[in-house]
Amino acid sequence: MTAVTLEAPPPGLHTRNPLGALPAMRRDPLQLFESLAREHGSVAAFRLGPQPAVMVSGPEAVREVLVSRADDFDKGDIQRRAFTPALRNGLLIVEGDLHRVQRKLLVPHFQARRISNYVDIFAREAQRHADRLDDGSEVDLLAVMGGITRDVIGHLLWSRSLAEEAELAAAVTRVFEWEMRALFALVPVPLGIPTPANRQMNGDLRWVRGRIQAIIDERRAAGGEYNDLLDALLQARYDDGSAMSDDQLLDELITLWGAAHETSADAQFWTAALLATHPQVRDAVAAEADRVLGDRLPTADDLGRLPLAMAAFKEAMRLYPPAASLMREAVRDTTLGGYRIRKGTIVFISTYSMHRDPALYPAPELFDPERFLAGVDENGRPAAAPAERNGFGYLPFGAGRHVCIGSTLALTEGQVFTAVLARRLSFDLIDDGPVEPQLLINLRPRGTVRATVSRRVPARSENVA
Ligand code: HEM
C-alpha cells in the first residue's frame, strides 16, 4: 500500500502573481519575514517565482530543521552556487562524510581552553584602533568596527595584520561581494560564462589562493611555534595520523575568514550603535570595565568579571543577529510543525523574527542586557539568565551539525571589544532617527551610520592602589 500523507501545507501567502513574494523579498526580506510571522505563525509558506519557500521562526520548528529532521534538509543549490566557487570544500558549505570528518578535525582548536590564548589579541587590537580615534572626530561606525575585526582575523589566522596584506584583503572583499550578488541573483550566471564580473572573480580567486598558499609555504619554511589558526591546522591530524592536504587547508582558511570577519564586524557595529543610543547602559558597561581593569588590558582571567559587557553583546545579537536568516532546502518530502513540506522547498529560518517574539522576550524591542545576566532563584541558588532559558529561541550561532564553530571565540571577542572600547571612548550617533537594518548575507545597517567620538578618562580600578 502506498503511504498517504495527511499533513496540510503550511498557511501563508497565496497569490496569483507569478512572481509570488519575490518583489517583497528583494525589497526587504526582514519585513517579509516579520509580516509572515505576524500573519501566519511560525511556519509560513510563500513562493519566490515558481520556487516554493517557507519561513520558520518558532523554536520548535527551528529545532526540527536543524536537529531532529536535519537529514531532510541541506544547504541547498542557491547557497552552493554562491559559496562553492570560493569555499570549495570548506566546512560551511560541505555536507555528509566530508563535513563530519573536517568538523571533528577542526572543533578541538576552537575550544574555550585554546581561545583564552587569543584574548590579548582582541584586547590589543581594540585598544590600538581606539587610540587612533581623535576626540570629537566623526567616523563611519561600521567601518571602524570592520577595521578592528579585520585586523583581529589576520592575527588569528596567521599572526599578521591584514594591513600588511592590503591587496589580499581587497581581493577577498571582492570575492565576498560576488558571493552576495550570486546569492540574490534573479537569473544566476554560472561562473564559467566570461562576464566581466565572472572574469574578475576567477582572477581574484586564483590570486587569493596563490597568495594564501605562499603564506602557508612561508610558515612551513620558517618553522617555529605560533599562537594562530594556521599553526593549529598545520598540526591537526585525522584519526589515521595524516594531515590536511594543502587544498583542504586553503578551503578551510578562506572559509574561516569569510565566516568570521563580516559576522563579527556586524555584531560589534550593532553593539556600539545600541550603546550609543542607551547612555545608561553604556555608562554601566564602562563603569564595570573601569572597576575590573583599571589601567590594564583584560586577560582570560577577567572574562568572568565582565558579565555586563558580555550581556550587552549578547543582547545586541538578539535584536540584530548577524546571521538573521539561515537557509536550507528540503532534500525529500517531510514535515515541519506538522505541516507538509515538499522536496525542493527553500527554508528560511528567521532568527531575526524569532528573537523579537514577545512570547519569548517580554518587551522585545527594548535593548535590555539584563536579560542575559545570571541571577539567583527564590532559594538563593545561582539561576540562568532569563534569555538563556529560551533554548532554541536564541540562535545567533545556529544549531545542530553546522552550528558556528567559532561561537566561543566570537563571544569572547565581542565581550573584550565591548569592555575595552567602553573604557577608552564613547560614540554618539550623528543622524537622528532609528538605524534601519538590512539583510544582505548578514544583517547590516542601511546606509552609512556616522558617529562622533568622545574620548573617556577611565576611572581607576578599585583594585589599583
Ligand atoms: C558574532 C560572530 C559570529 C556569528 C554571529 C556567527 C554565526 C554563525 C552561524 C549562524 C553559523 C551557522 C550557519 C548555518 O547553519 O547555515 C556559523 C557557522 C560557522 N561559523 Fe560562525 N559566526 C560568528 C563568528 C565566527 C568566527 C569568529 C569563526 C571562526 C574563526 C566562525 C566560523 C564559522 C564556521 C567555520 C562555520 C561553519 C560551521 C559548519 O558548517 O560546520 N564564525 N556561524
Side-chain angles (χ1 to χ4, degrees):
M1 215 172 100
T2 17
V4 181
T5 42
L6 298 174
E7 292 86 6
L13 270 184
H14 298 289
T15 153
R16 285 170 199 273
N17 182 339
L19 293 176
L22 200 54
M25 185 75 170
R26 289 182 70 81
R27 210 168 36 242
D28 192 344
L30 291 178
Q31 279 292 332
L32 173 66
F33 295 159
E34 286 284 86
S35 76
L36 283 166
R38 207 171 38 244
E39 285 160 34
H40 304 288
S42 61
V43 181
F46 59 106
R47 273 188 301 104
L48 296 172
Q51 170 72 56
V54 67
M55 188 273 326
V56 176
S57 65
E60 261 319 299
V62 170
R63 199 168 66 83
E64 284 186 84
V65 182
L66 296 179
V67 181
S68 52
R69 292 178 188 276
D71 286 343
D72 295 348
F73 302 93
D74 73 5
K75 290 262 175 163
D77 286 341
I78 297 180
Q79 290 197 90
R80 274 191 288 272
R81 210 165 44 221
F83 296 130
T84 303
L87 309 187
R88 297 198 186 175
N89 284 324
L91 197 63
L92 185 86
I93 200 67
V94 290
E95 308 274 4
D97 285 345
L98 180 57
H99 180 260
R100 259 191 303 281
V101 170
Q102 284 306 112
R103 187 127 186 144
K104 187 167 172 209
L105 187 72
L106 264 62
V107 158
H109 303 287
F110 291 87
Q111 282 162 352
R113 186 171 47 86
R114 308 233 177 190
I115 283 158
S116 61
N117 294 338
Y118 299 137
V119 170
D120 63 325
I121 298 177
F122 302 147
R124 193 186 64 221
E125 288 301 313
Q127 170 136 311
R128 194 171 66 79
H129 280 260
D131 287 350
R132 288 197 325 210
L133 298 177
D134 292 327
D135 192 42
S137 59
E138 285 186 17
V139 293
D140 169 343
L141 197 52
L142 183 60
V144 170
M145 296 305 158
I148 314 179
T149 45
R150 195 191 50 227
D151 279 349
V152 164
I153 192 72
H155 284 285
L156 285 181
L157 286 175
W158 41 61
S159 302
R160 247 185 236 224
S161 159
L162 288 179
E164 298 163 39
E165 290 285 350
E167 213 179 327
L168 176 60
V172 168
T173 303
R174 285 196 298 274
V175 167
F176 295 158
E177 283 165 3
W178 183 93
E179 288 180 342
M180 195 162 69
R181 287 196 300 274
L183 197 62
F184 290 103
L186 271 185
V187 184
V189 184
L191 194 54
I193 298 181
T195 60
N198 284 350
R199 276 209 301 273
Q200 171 86 51
M201 170 72 170
N202 280 318
D204 282 337
L205 283 177
R206 263 194 309 278
W207 195 85
V208 164
R209 291 185 79 86
R211 181 65 204 126
I212 298 181
Q213 182 68 54
I215 293 177
I216 297 172
D217 295 342
E218 283 164 31
R219 171 63 60 87
R220 281 209 180 95
E225 261 191 43
Y226 298 79
N227 180 21
D228 59 24
L229 288 169
L230 175 55
D231 217 24
L233 298 189
L234 280 169
Q235 284 167 25
R237 292 292 177 269
Y238 295 109
D239 287 346
D240 67 0
S242 62
M244 247 188 281
S245 68
D246 274 11
D247 263 350
Q248 187 69 40
L249 178 58
L250 268 163
D251 296 350
E252 300 301 5
L253 288 169
I254 296 174
T255 300
L256 288 170
W257 185 338
H261 174 230
E262 191 77 29
T263 43
S264 301
D266 293 337
Q268 217 57 57
F269 163 81
W270 290 111
T271 309
L274 284 162
L275 291 177
T277 47
H278 296 78
Q280 273 184 322
V281 182
R282 176 176 74 193
D283 292 348
V285 171
E288 176 187 79
D290 285 347
R291 202 170 53 242
V292 172
L293 302 173
D295 291 334
R296 57 185 182 80
L297 287 176
T299 66
D301 289 340
D302 295 312
L303 299 178
R305 298 192 289 145
L306 295 164
L308 191 57
M310 178 63 103
F313 184 66
K314 285 182 173 173
E315 172 70 345
M317 286 200 297
R318 179 187 70 80
L319 280 166
Y320 299 101
S325 158
L326 305 180
M327 276 173 81
R328 295 293 187 269
E329 186 178 317
V331 294
R332 58 178 68 92
D333 289 351
T334 182
T335 65
L336 281 180
Y339 296 116
R340 185 176 71 215
I341 302 293
R342 292 284 191 215
K343 177 178 174 185
T345 302
I346 301 182
V347 179
F348 292 90
I349 297 176
S350 176
T351 50
Y352 181 85
S353 308
M354 186 164 73
H355 288 182
R356 287 164 181 257
D357 179 348
L360 296 170
Y361 301 96
E365 307 292 324
L366 208 69
F367 174 61
D368 178 11
E370 295 226 346
R371 299 179 208 267
F372 287 94
L373 286 181
V376 284
D377 67 14
E378 59 277 15
N379 301 315
R381 282 192 292 258
E388 309 274 11
R389 291 176 221 149
N390 280 337
F392 276 77
Y394 181 66
L395 282 198
F397 297 109
R401 55 182 65 151
H402 282 284
V403 66
C404 179
I405 202 171
S407 60
T408 310
L409 197 149
L411 283 171
T412 310
E413 180 185 66
Q415 180 187 25
V416 170
F417 279 13
T418 304
V420 171
L421 294 181
R423 272 194 75 240
R424 313 293 288 195
L425 41 84
S426 64
F427 295 107
D428 287 290
L429 303 191
I430 293 170
D431 304 308
D432 288 336
V435 180
E436 295 290 344
Q438 69 170 323
L439 183 57
L440 297 170
I441 290 182
N442 294 314
L443 196 64
R444 289 253 190 105
R446 200 177 282 280
T448 305
V449 176
R450 296 176 312 134
T452 314
V453 177
S454 301
R455 301 202 59 83
R456 269 185 91 239
V457 181
R460 292 180 68 79
S461 149
E462 287 166 358
N463 305 326
V464 177

